[in-house]
Amino acid sequence: MPAAWCEIHHVQEHSRGGPTHTDNGVLLCWHHHRTLDTSGWTIRMRNGIPEIRGPYWWDATMRWRPVTSSPLRLRQRLTTRLAAGDG
C-alpha cells in the first residue's frame, strides 16, 4: 500500500512518553492501526528495525519477526547480533 494511504503508529505510545521520531514509528493501514490493540498483534523496535509478533492462533511459538527486507537494515541487525553473541 502506498505510504500516502498509511498512518504512522508510535511503537512506544506518545501518550506514555514515547518519542515522536521516525525511529519509533511504523506505517500501518487505517484498519490495522485502529485494531492493533485488540487484534493480538504486537510491534516492537529492535536495533531500529520494526518486528512483529502475531497472536497465538497465527503462530503458536509467538516468535518476533523483522518486518523489513532492506538488505542494509538486515545486515546491520546481523552484525549487532553477532557482536552481542546472539548469533
Side-chain angles (χ1 to χ4, degrees):
M1 156 173 306
W5 296 1
C6 296
E7 297 181 349
I8 298 172
H9 171 70
H10 291 96
V11 176
Q12 295 176 344
E13 293 182 41
H14 181 256
S15 63
R16 294 186 178 164
T20 56
H21 190 273
T22 55
D23 289 345
N24 184 41
V26 294
L27 295 177
L28 298 174
C29 73
W30 180 88
H31 171 76
H32 288 109
H33 192 210
R34 296 292 181 260
T35 60
L36 186 62
D37 292 337
T38 59
S39 66
W41 290 84
T42 309
I43 301 174
R44 73 176 182 186
M45 297 298 276
R46 185 163 186 225
N47 300 322
I49 298 171
E51 294 182 331
I52 59 164
R53 184 171 63 191
Y56 182 80
W57 61 264
W58 184 77
D59 178 9
T61 65
M62 300 196 66
R63 183 170 61 97
W64 286 101
R65 301 163 190 265
V67 296
T68 185
S69 58
S70 163
L72 176 61
R73 285 215 159 158
L74 292 174
R75 188 175 334 114
Q76 288 173 340
R77 183 169 186 243
L78 178 61
T79 301
T80 302
R81 288 178 68 187
L82 292 174
D86 296 338

